[in-house]
Amino acid sequence: MTTIPWQMLDRNTATVAIAPGFDRLYQLHETGAIFQYTGTPMTGWERLDANPSTVAITSDGNTVYQLHETGAIFQYTGTPMTGWLRLDANPATVAIAGAFGRLYQRHNTGAIFQFTGTPMTGWQRLDANPATAAIVAAGLELYQLHETGAIFRYTGTPMTGWQRLDANPATVAITAEDIGNPEINTLFQLHNTGAIFRYTGTPMTGWEQLDRNPATVAIAAAGRELFQLHETGQVFRYTGTPFTGWERFSWEFTVPIAIAGSTHTSPQHEAILYHLTQVGAIQKLQR
């Protein structure tokens, strides 16, 4: 086990989600309040909004977006509390995802849309498959996961431009590196058995197994690194050797319930990893 301290950034029992973006970090409270980290642990959090309708947040790396229970989507424009631009208001919207300056939404019908720049009307439909269960944006890439376990990558043509990369019913989650370079971004998948695979470039067959631990409950990619979270709260970083090459980090305070990664804007694209604990504590992995 590598003893690397986790820096406590906040500890609020109301916190239900975090959303990293490049060198930025946002948190969402159960009250709908949204905060941005300004750099001082525990006290350096600026409230950006406090709308009880807010149910989710995401970042495209540069700014933060919020989704309301009504399906409305808002973009933060820079002024706390009042600086929110409504981008859409469709009651079918159930999820949003952003990366590298791009924003996407998913409807309860499985339809996927990309924001093209004009509030309310500027949404281009990319797909409409009722099997779609999740979307993941990373760098310049967009992926979708079906409830059947099938994974698809968007190739650029709306509705028809989806390349199937795998179709394993055991798949429950996907994640991808977000460094803004489609030639470098790597896709990973997690199975319900705890198995983790990395996509090597050949659809359907090009998956390299990296681990198979039944305790694994989540994976997160950041920079050029991959992390996994166990149900015990232990966090591991992949060091390059399948199955045995996992470095365990110690953690502090209490058991994490989620991990989230982002990428530093330096040329090295260093990974930044955060975790959120059961009591609302947010901690950052110190290097």
Side-chain angles (χ1 to χ4, degrees):
M1 179 175 65
T2 300
T3 304
I4 298 179
W6 292 86
Q7 182 184 29
M8 182 76 72
L9 304 184
D10 200 22
R11 184 189 169 185
N12 193 311
T13 56
T15 305
V16 294
I18 54 177
F22 291 152
D23 304 329
R24 304 181 183 188
L25 177 64
Y26 307 91
Q27 63 168 294
L28 172 65
H29 286 192
E30 61 188 0
T31 61
I34 301 171
F35 295 81
Q36 178 178 352
Y37 183 56
T38 59
T40 304
M42 307 304 291
T43 60
W45 289 92
E46 181 181 23
R47 189 170 65 168
L48 305 184
D49 200 22
N51 194 312
S53 294
T54 306
V55 293
I57 57 174
T58 191
S59 174
D60 64 1
N62 299 314
T63 191
V64 65
Y65 303 86
Q66 60 172 292
L67 172 65
H68 286 193
E69 59 190 357
T70 61
I73 301 171
F74 294 82
Q75 177 186 3
Y76 182 58
T77 59
T79 304
M81 307 305 291
T82 59
W84 290 91
L85 175 67
R86 189 171 65 168
L87 304 184
D88 201 21
N90 194 311
T93 305
V94 293
I96 53 176
F100 214 68
R102 301 183 180 188
L103 177 66
Y104 307 90
Q105 62 169 291
R106 177 174 63 88
H107 286 191
N108 53 18
T109 61
I112 301 170
F113 295 81
Q114 179 178 353
F115 183 56
T116 59
T118 304
M120 306 305 290
T121 59
W123 291 91
Q124 182 180 29
R125 189 170 65 169
L126 305 184
D127 201 22
N129 195 311
T132 303
I135 54 175
V136 170
L140 303 178
E141 300 280 14
L142 176 65
Y143 304 93
Q144 62 170 292
L145 173 65
H146 284 194
E147 57 190 10
T148 61
I151 302 170
F152 295 81
R153 180 178 71 90
Y154 183 56
T155 60
T157 304
M159 306 305 290
T160 59
W162 291 92
Q163 180 184 32
R164 189 170 66 168
L165 305 183
D166 202 22
N168 194 311
T171 305
V172 292
I174 56 176
T175 187
E177 298 166 335
D178 186 1
I179 62 176
N181 187 335
E183 300 302 324
I184 298 176
N185 288 343
T186 303
L187 176 68
F188 305 90
Q189 61 170 293
L190 172 65
H191 285 192
N192 53 18
T193 60
I196 300 171
F197 294 83
R198 176 174 58 190
Y199 183 56
T200 60
T202 304
M204 306 305 291
T205 59
W207 291 91
E208 179 186 19
Q209 189 170 359
L210 306 183
D211 201 19
R212 182 169 181 165
N213 193 313
T216 305
V217 293
I219 54 176
R224 294 184 174 91
E225 297 188 285
L226 174 68
F227 302 86
Q228 61 169 294
L229 172 66
H230 285 193
E231 59 189 359
T232 59
Q234 295 175 331
V235 178
F236 295 79
R237 180 179 69 90
Y238 183 58
T239 60
T241 304
F243 294 98
T244 59
W246 290 91
E247 178 184 20
R248 186 175 67 174
F249 295 134
S250 65
W251 72 94
E252 300 174 7
F253 195 61
T254 190
V255 176
I257 57 173
I259 55 176
S262 65
T263 303
H264 195 281
T265 52
S266 68
Q268 290 76 31
H269 302 298
E270 295 120 335
I272 306 173
L273 184 71
Y274 305 93
H275 68 53
L276 174 65
T277 74
Q278 295 170 328
V279 293
I282 301 172
Q283 293 180 308
K284 177 183 177 182
L285 183 65
Q286 296 296 287
R287 299 289 185 152

Coordinates of all heavy atoms in Angstrom, one line a residue, residues 145 149 151 166 168-175 187-199 207-220 226-230 238 242-243 246:
L145 N -23.6 3.4 -23.6 CA -23.7 2.0 -23.1 C -25.2 1.6 -23.1 O -26.0 2.4 -22.7 CB -23.1 2.0 -21.7 CG -23.4 0.7 -20.9 CD1 -22.6 -0.5 -21.6 CD2 -22.9 0.8 -19.5
G149 N -25.5 -4.2 -22.4 CA -24.0 -4.3 -22.2 C -23.3 -3.8 -23.5 O -22.0 -3.7 -23.4
I151 N -21.5 -1.5 -26.2 CA -20.8 -0.3 -26.1 C -20.7 0.3 -27.6 O -20.2 -0.5 -28.5 CB -19.4 -0.4 -25.5 CG1 -19.6 -1.0 -24.1 CG2 -18.7 1.0 -25.4 CD1 -18.2 -1.4 -23.4
D166 N -18.3 -3.4 -28.4 CA -18.4 -4.6 -27.6 C -19.9 -4.9 -27.4 O -20.7 -4.0 -27.6 CB -17.7 -4.5 -26.3 CG -17.3 -5.9 -25.7 OD1 -17.3 -6.9 -26.4 OD2 -17.1 -6.0 -24.4
N168 N -21.1 -7.2 -24.4 CA -21.1 -8.2 -23.3 C -22.1 -7.8 -22.3 O -22.1 -6.8 -21.7 CB -19.7 -8.1 -22.7 CG -19.4 -9.3 -21.8 OD1 -20.2 -9.7 -20.9 ND2 -18.3 -10.0 -22.0
P169 N -23.0 -8.8 -22.0 CA -24.1 -8.5 -21.0 C -23.7 -8.2 -19.6 O -24.4 -7.7 -18.8 CB -25.0 -9.7 -21.1 CG -24.1 -10.8 -21.7 CD -23.2 -10.1 -22.6
A170 N -22.4 -8.5 -19.3 CA -21.9 -8.3 -18.0 C -21.4 -6.9 -17.7 O -21.2 -6.5 -16.6 CB -20.7 -9.2 -17.7
T171 N -21.3 -6.1 -18.8 CA -20.9 -4.7 -18.7 C -21.9 -3.8 -17.9 O -23.0 -3.7 -18.3 CB -20.6 -4.1 -20.0 OG1 -19.6 -5.0 -20.7 CG2 -19.9 -2.7 -19.9
V172 N -21.4 -3.1 -16.9 CA -22.3 -2.2 -16.1 C -21.8 -0.8 -16.1 O -22.6 0.1 -15.7 CB -22.4 -2.7 -14.7 CG1 -23.1 -4.1 -14.6 CG2 -21.0 -2.8 -14.0
A173 N -20.6 -0.5 -16.6 CA -20.1 0.9 -16.6 C -18.9 1.0 -17.5 O -18.2 0.1 -17.8 CB -19.7 1.3 -15.2
I174 N -18.8 2.3 -18.1 CA -17.7 2.6 -18.9 C -17.1 3.9 -18.5 O -17.8 4.8 -17.9 CB -18.1 2.7 -20.4 CG1 -19.2 3.6 -20.6 CG2 -18.4 1.3 -20.9 CD1 -19.6 3.8 -22.1
T175 N -15.8 4.1 -18.7 CA -15.2 5.4 -18.5 C -14.1 5.6 -19.5 O -13.6 4.6 -20.1 CB -14.6 5.4 -17.0 OG1 -14.1 6.8 -16.8 CG2 -13.4 4.5 -16.9
L187 N -10.6 3.9 -23.6 CA -11.8 3.5 -23.1 C -11.7 2.2 -22.2 O -11.0 1.3 -22.6 CB -12.8 3.2 -24.2 CG -14.2 2.7 -23.9 CD1 -15.0 3.8 -23.1 CD2 -15.0 2.2 -25.1
F188 N -12.4 2.2 -21.1 CA -12.4 1.1 -20.2 C -13.8 0.7 -19.9 O -14.7 1.5 -20.0 CB -11.7 1.5 -18.9 CG -10.3 2.0 -19.0 CD1 -10.1 3.4 -19.2 CD2 -9.2 1.2 -19.0 CE1 -8.8 3.9 -19.3 CE2 -7.9 1.7 -19.2 CZ -7.7 3.0 -19.3
Q189 N -14.0 -0.6 -19.5 CA -15.3 -1.1 -19.1 C -15.2 -1.9 -17.8 O -14.2 -2.5 -17.6 CB -16.0 -1.9 -20.2 CG -15.3 -3.1 -20.6 CD -16.2 -4.0 -21.5 OE1 -17.2 -4.5 -21.1 NE2 -15.8 -4.1 -22.8
L190 N -16.3 -1.9 -17.0 CA -16.3 -2.6 -15.8 C -17.5 -3.6 -15.9 O -18.6 -3.3 -16.3 CB -16.6 -1.7 -14.6 CG -16.9 -2.3 -13.3 CD1 -15.7 -3.1 -12.7 CD2 -17.3 -1.3 -12.2
H191 N -17.2 -4.9 -15.5 CA -18.3 -5.9 -15.5 C -18.9 -6.1 -14.1 O -18.3 -5.7 -13.1 CB -17.7 -7.2 -16.0 CG -17.4 -7.3 -17.4 ND1 -17.1 -8.5 -18.1 CD2 -17.4 -6.3 -18.4 CE1 -16.9 -8.2 -19.4 NE2 -17.1 -6.9 -19.6
N192 N -20.0 -6.7 -14.1 CA -20.7 -7.0 -12.8 C -19.9 -8.0 -11.9 O -20.2 -8.2 -10.7 CB -22.1 -7.4 -13.0 CG -22.3 -8.6 -13.9 OD1 -21.3 -9.3 -14.2 ND2 -23.5 -8.8 -14.4
T193 N -18.9 -8.6 -12.5 CA -18.0 -9.5 -11.7 C -16.8 -8.8 -11.1 O -16.1 -9.4 -10.4 CB -17.5 -10.6 -12.7 OG1 -16.7 -9.9 -13.7 CG2 -18.6 -11.4 -13.3
G194 N -16.7 -7.5 -11.4 CA -15.5 -6.8 -11.0 C -14.4 -6.7 -12.0 O -13.4 -6.1 -11.8
A195 N -14.6 -7.5 -13.1 CA -13.6 -7.5 -14.2 C -13.5 -6.1 -14.9 O -14.5 -5.5 -15.1 CB -13.9 -8.6 -15.2
I196 N -12.2 -5.7 -15.2 CA -12.0 -4.4 -15.8 C -11.2 -4.7 -17.2 O -10.3 -5.5 -17.2 CB -11.1 -3.5 -15.0 CG1 -11.8 -3.2 -13.6 CG2 -10.8 -2.2 -15.7 CD1 -10.9 -2.5 -12.6
F197 N -11.7 -4.1 -18.2 CA -11.1 -4.2 -19.5 C -10.7 -2.9 -20.2 O -11.4 -1.9 -20.0 CB -12.0 -5.0 -20.5 CG -12.3 -6.4 -20.1 CD1 -13.3 -6.7 -19.1 CD2 -11.7 -7.5 -20.7 CE1 -13.6 -7.9 -18.8 CE2 -12.0 -8.8 -20.3 CZ -12.9 -9.0 -19.4
R198 N -9.6 -2.9 -20.9 CA -9.2 -1.7 -21.7 C -9.3 -2.0 -23.2 O -8.9 -3.0 -23.7 CB -7.7 -1.4 -21.4 CG -7.2 -0.2 -22.2 CD -5.8 0.2 -21.7 NE -4.9 -0.9 -21.8 CZ -3.6 -0.9 -21.3 NH1 -3.2 0.1 -20.6 NH2 -2.8 -2.0 -21.4
Y199 N -9.9 -1.0 -23.9 CA -10.1 -1.2 -25.3 C -8.7 -0.9 -26.0 O -8.1 0.1 -25.8 CB -11.1 -0.2 -25.8 CG -11.4 -0.3 -27.3 CD1 -11.9 -1.5 -27.8 CD2 -11.3 0.8 -28.1 CE1 -12.2 -1.6 -29.2 CE2 -11.6 0.7 -29.5 CZ -12.1 -0.5 -30.0 OH -12.3 -0.7 -31.3
W207 N -10.2 -6.2 -26.5 CA -10.3 -5.8 -25.1 C -9.3 -6.6 -24.3 O -9.3 -7.8 -24.3 CB -11.7 -6.1 -24.6 CG -12.8 -5.1 -25.3 CD1 -13.5 -5.3 -26.4 CD2 -13.1 -3.8 -24.8 NE1 -14.3 -4.3 -26.7 CE2 -14.1 -3.3 -25.7 CE3 -12.8 -3.1 -23.7 CZ2 -14.7 -2.1 -25.5 CZ3 -13.3 -1.8 -23.5 CH2 -14.3 -1.3 -24.4
E208 N -8.5 -5.9 -23.6 CA -7.5 -6.5 -22.7 C -7.9 -6.4 -21.3 O -8.3 -5.4 -20.7 CB -6.1 -5.7 -22.8 CG -5.0 -6.2 -21.9 CD -3.8 -5.4 -21.9 OE1 -3.9 -4.2 -22.4 OE2 -2.7 -5.9 -21.5
Q209 N -8.0 -7.6 -20.6 CA -8.4 -7.6 -19.2 C -7.3 -7.2 -18.3 O -6.2 -7.6 -18.4 CB -8.9 -9.0 -18.8 CG -9.5 -9.1 -17.5 CD -10.2 -10.4 -17.2 OE1 -10.1 -11.3 -18.0 NE2 -10.8 -10.6 -16.1
L210 N -7.6 -6.2 -17.4 CA -6.7 -5.6 -16.5 C -6.8 -6.1 -15.1 O -5.8 -6.1 -14.3 CB -6.8 -4.1 -16.5 CG -6.7 -3.4 -17.9 CD1 -6.8 -1.9 -17.7 CD2 -5.4 -3.8 -18.6
D211 N -8.0 -6.6 -14.7 CA -8.2 -7.0 -13.3 C -9.5 -7.8 -13.3 O -10.4 -7.7 -14.2 CB -8.2 -5.9 -12.3 CG -7.9 -6.3 -10.9 OD1 -7.4 -7.4 -10.7 OD2 -8.3 -5.6 -10.0
R212 N -9.7 -8.5 -12.2 CA -11.0 -9.2 -11.9 C -11.2 -9.4 -10.4 O -10.9 -10.5 -9.9 CB -11.1 -10.5 -12.6 CG -12.4 -11.2 -12.4 CD -12.6 -12.4 -13.3 NE -13.9 -13.0 -13.1 CZ -14.5 -13.9 -13.9 NH1 -13.9 -14.3 -15.0 NH2 -15.7 -14.4 -13.7
N213 N -11.6 -8.3 -9.8 CA -11.8 -8.4 -8.3 C -13.3 -8.1 -8.0 O -13.8 -7.1 -8.4 CB -10.9 -7.3 -7.7 CG -10.8 -7.5 -6.2 OD1 -11.8 -7.7 -5.5 ND2 -9.6 -7.4 -5.6
P214 N -14.0 -9.1 -7.4 CA -15.4 -8.9 -7.2 C -15.7 -7.8 -6.3 O -16.9 -7.4 -6.2 CB -15.8 -10.3 -6.6 CG -14.5 -10.9 -6.0 CD -13.5 -10.4 -6.9
A215 N -14.7 -7.2 -5.6 CA -15.0 -6.1 -4.7 C -15.1 -4.7 -5.4 O -15.6 -3.7 -4.9 CB -13.9 -6.0 -3.6
T216 N -14.7 -4.7 -6.7 CA -14.7 -3.5 -7.5 C -16.1 -3.0 -7.8 O -16.9 -3.7 -8.3 CB -13.9 -3.6 -8.8 OG1 -12.6 -4.1 -8.5 CG2 -13.8 -2.3 -9.5
V217 N -16.4 -1.7 -7.4 CA -17.7 -1.1 -7.6 C -17.7 0.1 -8.6 O -18.8 0.5 -9.1 CB -18.4 -0.7 -6.3 CG1 -18.6 -1.9 -5.4 CG2 -17.5 0.3 -5.6
A218 N -16.5 0.6 -8.9 CA -16.5 1.8 -9.8 C -15.1 1.9 -10.4 O -14.1 1.5 -9.8 CB -16.9 3.0 -9.0
I219 N -15.0 2.6 -11.5 CA -13.7 2.9 -12.2 C -13.8 4.3 -12.6 O -14.9 4.9 -12.9 CB -13.4 2.0 -13.4 CG1 -14.5 2.0 -14.4 CG2 -13.1 0.5 -12.9 CD1 -14.2 1.1 -15.6
A220 N -12.6 5.0 -12.7 CA -12.5 6.3 -13.1 C -11.2 6.5 -13.9 O -10.1 6.1 -13.4 CB -12.6 7.3 -12.0
L226 N -5.8 5.1 -14.8 CA -7.0 4.4 -14.5 C -7.0 4.1 -13.0 O -6.0 3.6 -12.4 CB -7.2 3.1 -15.3 CG -8.4 2.3 -14.9 CD1 -9.7 3.0 -15.3 CD2 -8.3 0.9 -15.6
F227 N -8.2 4.3 -12.3 CA -8.3 4.0 -10.9 C -9.6 3.1 -10.7 O -10.5 3.2 -11.5 CB -8.5 5.3 -10.1 CG -7.4 6.3 -10.2 CD1 -7.4 7.2 -11.3 CD2 -6.3 6.3 -9.3 CE1 -6.3 8.1 -11.4 CE2 -5.3 7.2 -9.5 CZ -5.3 8.1 -10.5
Q228 N -9.5 2.3 -9.7 CA -10.7 1.5 -9.3 C -11.0 1.7 -7.8 O -10.1 2.0 -7.0 CB -10.6 0.1 -9.6 CG -9.4 -0.7 -8.9 CD -9.5 -2.2 -9.1 OE1 -10.5 -2.8 -8.7 NE2 -8.5 -2.7 -9.8
L229 N -12.3 1.6 -7.5 CA -12.8 1.8 -6.1 C -13.5 0.5 -5.7 O -14.3 -0.1 -6.4 CB -13.8 2.9 -6.0 CG -14.6 3.1 -4.7 CD1 -13.6 3.5 -3.6 CD2 -15.7 4.1 -4.8
H230 N -13.1 0.0 -4.5 CA -13.7 -1.3 -4.0 C -14.8 -0.9 -3.0 O -14.9 0.2 -2.5 CB -12.6 -2.1 -3.3 CG -11.7 -2.8 -4.2 ND1 -10.8 -3.8 -3.8 CD2 -11.5 -2.7 -5.5 CE1 -10.1 -4.2 -4.9 NE2 -10.5 -3.6 -5.9
Y238 N -3.9 1.8 -11.6 CA -3.3 0.8 -12.5 C -1.9 1.3 -12.9 O -1.7 2.4 -13.3 CB -4.1 0.6 -13.7 CG -3.6 -0.5 -14.7 CD1 -3.4 -1.8 -14.2 CD2 -3.3 -0.2 -16.0 CE1 -3.0 -2.7 -15.1 CE2 -2.9 -1.1 -16.8 CZ -2.7 -2.4 -16.4 OH -2.2 -3.4 -17.2
P242 N -1.3 -6.2 -16.2 CA -2.6 -6.7 -15.9 C -2.6 -7.6 -14.7 O -1.7 -8.4 -14.5 CB -2.9 -7.5 -17.2 CG -2.1 -6.8 -18.3 CD -0.9 -6.3 -17.6
F243 N -3.7 -7.5 -13.9 CA -4.0 -8.3 -12.7 C -3.1 -7.9 -11.5 O -3.6 -7.7 -10.4 CB -3.9 -9.8 -13.0 CG -5.0 -10.2 -14.0 CD1 -4.7 -10.4 -15.3 CD2 -6.3 -10.4 -13.6 CE1 -5.7 -10.8 -16.2 CE2 -7.3 -10.8 -14.4 CZ -7.0 -11.0 -15.8
W246 N -1.5 -3.1 -9.7 CA -2.5 -2.2 -9.1 C -1.9 -1.7 -7.8 O -1.6 -2.5 -6.9 CB -3.8 -2.9 -8.8 CG -4.6 -3.1 -10.1 CD1 -4.5 -4.3 -10.8 CD2 -5.4 -2.2 -10.8 NE1 -5.3 -4.2 -11.9 CE2 -5.9 -2.9 -12.0 CE3 -5.9 -0.9 -10.6 CZ2 -6.8 -2.3 -12.9 CZ3 -6.7 -0.4 -11.5 CH2 -7.2 -1.1 -12.6

